[in-house]
């Protein structure tokens, strides 16, 4: 009876706990290899069935056209807002009726003063956005917020001037407000021209807001 042979026979027994303990790391290694192989096969099959969509890079020519369109629209918005401001600031008329002098100026109406302020602010903000677009790589989400605020401010000024201008041209018989444009035709025509120019600037800003929102959505998708 040899202790070495006895130990050897003990290790070779099929259900020996010592043998299972010694081969335990090998079992774990085999198990991990099998799991890794299964995961790799599944990933490969999914890659074949559902190929990853490649990022869509817009052509450089399209990006240049879009950039030029942004610049042109902002320049047009600035020009029309400044023109509307100049026309409303210079709108005045002096009239003598039955020996009594009358003056019509934009500063006599708080709505027209707010309208002038809105156009000045819109032209200044549009100029800032134009410089930002030319100098800094465009962040279209910030441009969207900027254009939305500027457009809303200008729309408020246009709405106020339109309401007062409508009363001045057509009056309101129910509350006794008389139309004055028959006497102050020059003043009313200049105010109308200024409001039309301001609405053109508003349309430019509206298009810019839609474009900026669309581009911001594409970049965040």
């Amino acid at each position: 009876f040899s202790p070495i042979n006895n130990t050897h026979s003990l290790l070779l027994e099929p259900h020996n706990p010592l043998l299972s303990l010694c081969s335990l790391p090998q079992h774990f290694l085999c198990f991990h290899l099998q799991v890794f192989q299964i995961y790799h096969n599944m990933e490969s099959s999914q890659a074949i069935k559902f190929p990853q969509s490649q990022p869509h890079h817009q052509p450089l020519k399209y990006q240049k056209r879009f950039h030029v369109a942004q610049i042109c629209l902002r320049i047009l918005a600035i020009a029309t807002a400044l023109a509307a401001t100049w026309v409303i600031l210079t709108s005045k008329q002096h009239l003598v009726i039955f020996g009594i002098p009358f003056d019509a100026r934009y500063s006599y109406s708080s709505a027209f003063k707010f309208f002038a302020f809105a156009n000045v602010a819109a032209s200044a903000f549009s100029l800032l956005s134009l410089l930002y677009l030319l100098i800094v790589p465009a962040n279209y989400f910030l441009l969207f917020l900027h254009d939305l605020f500027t457009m809303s401010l200008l729309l408020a000024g246009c709405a106020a001037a339109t309401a007062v201008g409508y009363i001045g041209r057509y009056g309101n018989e129910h509350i006794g407000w008389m139309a004055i444009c028959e006497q102050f035709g020059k003043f009313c025509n200049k105010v109308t021209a200024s409001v039309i120019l301001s609405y053109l600037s508003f349309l430019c800003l509206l298009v810019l807001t839609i474009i900026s929102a669309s581009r911001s959505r594409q970049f965040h998708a």
Side-chain angles (χ1 to χ4, degrees), residues 12-192:
L12 292 179
E13 291 181 5
H15 300 289
N16 192 350
L18 185 59
L19 179 61
S20 301
L21 185 61
C22 293
S23 60
L24 188 59
Q26 296 180 1
H27 286 307
F28 273 113
L29 180 60
C30 294
F31 175 74
H32 283 295
L33 289 175
Q34 290 176 0
V35 171
F36 176 78
Q37 185 66 28
I38 294 172
Y39 176 78
H40 180 72
N41 293 336
M42 290 175 61
E43 191 178 22
S44 301
S45 62
Q46 289 179 359
I48 294 173
K49 292 181 181 179
F50 306 102
Q52 295 181 353
S53 58
Q54 297 295 332
H56 178 68
H57 297 287
Q58 294 178 343
L60 184 61
K61 187 176 181 180
Y62 173 80
Q63 293 182 1
K64 287 183 178 180
R65 288 180 179 178
F66 177 81
H67 194 71
V68 171
Q70 281 257 351
I71 294 175
C72 292
L73 284 173
R74 294 184 190 280
I75 292 176
L76 185 60
I78 295 170
T80 50
L82 286 177
T85 303
W86 181 80
V87 172
I88 193 65
L89 291 180
T90 58
S91 59
K92 58 183 179 179
Q93 187 176 357
H94 180 76
L95 192 64
V96 178
I97 301 176
F98 299 113
I100 302 174
F102 292 93
D103 287 333
R105 298 174 182 269
Y106 87 97
S107 58
Y108 294 163
S109 171
S110 58
F112 287 154
K113 288 193 289 185
F114 174 69
F115 172 74
F117 165 76
N119 280 275
V120 171
S123 59
F125 290 153
S126 298
L127 179 60
L128 290 177
S129 66
L130 178 61
L131 295 176
Y132 173 79
L133 194 64
L134 292 175
I135 299 174
V136 183
N139 185 334
Y140 287 99
F141 181 71
L142 293 179
L143 282 176
F144 163 70
L145 295 178
H146 172 275
D147 295 336
L148 181 63
F149 172 77
T150 307
M151 180 195 69
S152 302
L153 177 63
L154 188 59
L155 180 60
C158 290
T162 302
V164 175
Y166 181 87
I167 294 175
R169 183 171 290 276
Y170 300 104
N172 193 326
E173 297 179 356
H174 299 286
I175 56 178
W177 289 350
M178 298 177 59
I180 64 170
C181 285
E182 293 181 0
Q183 291 78 23
F184 295 93
K186 179 182 176 182
F187 172 77
C188 289
N189 290 334
K190 295 194 74 171
V191 170
T192 302

